[in-house]
Amino acid sequence: MGDLSIRLLEAQDAAAYQHLRLRSLAEHPEAFGASVEEEARTPLEKIEQMLERALPDNPVFGACLDGELVGIGSLNRYPRQKTKHRAIISGIYVASEARGHGAGSAIMDAILDYGKALPGLETIILAVTVGNESARRIYTSKGFESYSIDRHYFKIDGSYHDIEWMVLFLDDHR
């Protein structure tokens, strides 16, 4: 097993982030709302700006294995006054060659630790494609509970994919 580390991504990570993000969309279109075609049009400068402005409410984490970015994931806090107590985890992906090293679980731990430290954050949600049992196992191991199945959420080349919405209540705010 190589040296695994998790860190916040910064503007200088934009090219590596974009490469991994496009790879995630190409390999698993059923798991993400964006398409490769849409994301490929995003200029690198826009990704740099997104990473530069990420803190405090929208951090992007990266998993590095032996110094190479192999995993990504984001926390996005809702910006409006009435929903600022909520955030969503999105864009979780670990490259196939890096799976089995605990990167997915470590990214989730980093995101959750960060979220728990945000003042006023009470609820974190996420969505997982129905049938993605490896991701679902990680999420349930972190305390997430299912609350809804959203049928036909994605339509890709005429095929539908359902997603499962999951929630984690911080400090037991139920």
Side-chain angles (χ1 to χ4, degrees):
M1 185 166 140
D3 181 34
L4 178 69
S5 61
I6 306 296
R7 64 180 177 84
L8 286 166
L9 296 184
E10 300 174 339
Q12 63 263 28
D13 299 307
Y17 171 85
Q18 185 180 45
H19 173 77
L20 202 55
R21 175 77 173 148
L22 290 173
R23 182 176 167 188
S24 72
L25 300 175
E27 290 178 2
H28 298 285
E30 77 289 350
F32 302 100
S35 70
V36 174
E37 298 78 17
E38 290 167 328
E39 290 277 320
R41 291 191 297 263
T42 304
L44 193 58
E45 296 79 29
K46 186 172 181 180
I47 296 169
E48 290 170 350
Q49 291 171 358
M50 180 264 302
L51 292 172
E52 199 171 86
R53 298 179 186 147
L55 300 180
D57 288 334
N58 301 293
V60 180
F61 289 87
C64 297
L65 190 59
D66 296 328
E68 180 183 350
L69 187 65
V70 296
I72 51 177
S74 304
L75 179 71
N76 297 287
R77 189 173 195 170
Y78 290 88
R80 298 190 182 273
Q81 181 180 352
K82 294 179 184 179
T83 55
K84 198 165 182 69
H85 66 286
R86 298 173 61 89
I88 186 168
I89 293 174
S90 63
I92 301 287
Y93 172 76
V94 175
S96 56
E97 67 274 10
R99 293 180 190 150
H101 293 276
S105 183
I107 290 170
M108 286 297 296
D109 287 341
I111 290 172
L112 293 176
D113 288 346
Y114 188 97
K116 289 174 183 176
L118 283 175
L121 189 65
E122 299 173 7
T123 307
I124 300 176
I125 63 170
L126 59 78
V128 61
T129 304
V130 171
N132 186 347
E133 290 305 315
S134 59
R136 190 178 190 287
R137 268 192 302 278
I138 292 172
Y139 304 150
T140 57
S141 77
K142 306 300 178 191
F144 282 85
E145 302 171 358
S146 177
Y147 71 88
S148 176
I149 301 293
D150 205 335
R151 295 196 54 222
H152 295 194
Y153 193 83
F154 296 129
K155 185 177 181 181
I156 305 165
D157 297 328
S159 295
Y160 293 101
H161 301 272
D162 303 340
I163 63 167
E164 178 180 7
W165 288 98
M166 302 183 84
V167 64
L168 176 68
F169 294 100
L170 306 178
D171 298 326
D172 206 32
H173 285 85
R174 294 177 189 247

